[in-house]
Amino acid sequence: MLAARALAGYAHTVTIVERDVLPDGPGPRRGLPQARHAHMLWSGGARAVEDLVPGATEQLLAAGAHRLAVTTDMVALSPQGWFRRWPESHHLLLSSRDLLDATIRSHVLDDDRVGLVERTEVLGLEGTAAAVTGVRVRGDDGTERTLAADLVVDATGRASRAPRWLAALGLPVPARREVDAGLAYASRVYRAPEQARGGFPVVNVQPDPRAGGPGRGAVLLPIEDGQWLVTLSGTRGGEPPSADADFVRFALEDVRHPLIGELLADAEPLTDVAFTRTTVNRRWFYERMPAWPENFTVLGDALAAFNPVYGHGMSVAAQSAVALRSVIRRQGWGTPGLARHAQKAMARPVNAAWDLATGQDVFYPGATKGGPTRRERLLAAYVGRLLRTATGNGRIARRLTDVTSLERGAEVLVAPRVVLAAVVGPLRGPLAGPPLTAEELKAVG
């Protein structure tokens, strides 16, 4: 939807090819099973969405979404200890994925330049290795046809078949990197206790990838209608339960701190547990290919899919859609080499999120064939030092959230003053427990 919005100002007609039947409002659909798990828009992604779809943020908030300050409205346990709730540096936009999708969809499909073809699957690309001219599609009745296009954008997600499509045109297979921590996800929606329905913070208990053994974590996100979306996670050998009866037990006994389990004790479950193992970090380096066809680009999870525990997938996709629009605006529609320039531009928002995710996940047993590289070990050691410093230094905490919020690039973390602060370490001692307010403590019982 965001890619369509990015193109609508330049193309005469934009056609979205969709396998599902899209609901009229917020609602589940078969092709988006991950919607049942934790989602968030970091402020870098929220700004990109608002840039493409003005008014979307206001509409989301009116429908019950939450805008929470980073790190003021966060209770987070990092591998190096509890973070303090420093003054606002950036923000999170929290809602169910169904509400977010419906809000963006209503804006995009209201544009007469955007058309929707539902119950239709893309079979492959039309054209040559030099230029793509359209796509072959098949409807649910089995009828096949060709849709001609001046530009084809693959936003089909983790299941993208773009490498196969490009090979069919005679192009080489692009380089790929995978880091698979073996993470499994289990999520459930709860009705928050009455005393916790107004302005409750995000609660995030992160695993420690270098502690030895499986990494187990949990995150609680306030969403619309007084609900909490809770996701439990665990790597190989420490997977969370798929059974409803064991959900709270895992949060209480197996996660590094029982806070989220304690919060769930008085919360009413509204759904069954949703379980998935589709969490591998996978990146295709299309921007490095020696040859690239005109009129074809790849973005979103089809370009780079991240371990969802870091919450960066949607934000990176939104920023990539903005990058696509910027290249078209700068170079002009139909300019030779436009698709290649766009592909390189869309890869840039991926870099910081990729390093953040894989820099942690690479330390879990079996995540990669050869284990962490020397560069990854050095980088992780430095980031770990920064994280420890940030628990007791608000200025360093802000620099870290500049990057995690996707507002600035990772280069800010190697500025001389930041490096010096990392050498000095935290200015204040570690917190003994979660930094909850007196009002929030009532929800723990």
Side-chain angles (χ1 to χ4, degrees), residues 10-146:
Y10 304 93
H12 183 266
T13 302
V14 179
T15 301
I16 300 171
V17 180
E18 173 58 60
R19 293 179 67 174
D20 278 347
V21 175
L22 299 180
D24 292 332
R29 57 188 180 93
R30 190 179 67 175
L32 197 65
Q34 67 267 35
R36 294 176 291 176
H37 302 287
H39 281 76
M40 65 180 70
L41 273 174
W42 289 93
S43 51
R47 294 184 200 282
V49 169
E50 186 65 24
D51 187 8
L52 291 164
V53 187
T57 301
E58 183 180 354
Q59 186 176 342
L60 280 165
L61 294 175
H66 298 276
R67 182 196 184 281
L68 298 186
V70 175
T71 57
T72 317
D73 298 324
M74 301 177 72
V75 175
L77 177 62
S78 78
Q80 286 74 25
W82 291 100
F83 282 114
R84 284 178 166 83
R85 297 169 72 170
W86 303 106
E88 178 173 351
S89 56
H90 304 291
H91 67 274
L92 296 168
L93 198 58
L94 301 175
S95 72
S96 67
R97 176 65 185 265
D98 292 342
L99 176 60
L100 177 65
D101 279 5
T103 302
I104 293 174
R105 189 165 61 236
S106 67
H107 283 268
V108 175
L109 296 183
D110 194 45
D111 190 329
D112 292 338
R113 297 168 296 186
V114 178
L116 176 65
V117 178
E118 297 177 293
R119 295 193 183 97
T120 300
E121 178 184 7
V122 175
L123 302 176
L125 301 173
E126 286 289 319
T128 67
V132 170
T133 58
V135 290
R136 298 189 309 280
V137 302
R138 179 172 59 208
D140 64 345
D141 61 356
T143 302
E144 296 185 11
R145 59 187 174 120
T146 297

Side-chain angles (χ1 to χ4, degrees), residues 22 76 146 157 164 180 205 226 286 377 402 414 428 434 438 444:
L22 299 180
T146 297
R164 193 184 315 167
D180 184 4
V205 179
Y286 293 114
R377 290 185 183 277
D402 284 344
V414 291
R428 299 168 66 178
V444 184

Side-chain angles (χ1 to χ4, degrees), residues 37 180-187 215-218 231-242 250 274-280 307-309:
H37 302 287
D180 184 4
L183 189 82
Y185 245 33
S187 298
R216 300 179 178 94
T231 293
L232 310 179
S233 61
T235 59
R236 293 180 183 89
E239 295 88 345
S242 58
F250 183 92
F275 187 86
T276 185
R277 294 182 182 273
T278 309
T279 61
V280 61
N307 176 343
V309 76

Side-chain angles (χ1 to χ4, degrees), residues 342-357:
Q343 197 61 56
K344 290 182 177 181
M346 290 189 294
R348 293 186 194 113
V350 170
N351 293 331
W354 179 259
D355 286 343
L356 286 167

Side-chain angles (χ1 to χ4, degrees), residues 68-69 71-75 85 94 196 198-204 220-222 228 263 435-437 440:
L68 298 186
T71 57
T72 317
D73 298 324
M74 301 177 72
V75 175
R85 297 169 72 170
L94 301 175
F200 205 76
V202 169
V203 183
N204 186 11
L220 181 153
L221 303 180
W228 284 343
L263 287 167
L436 293 163
T437 67
E440 291 160 0

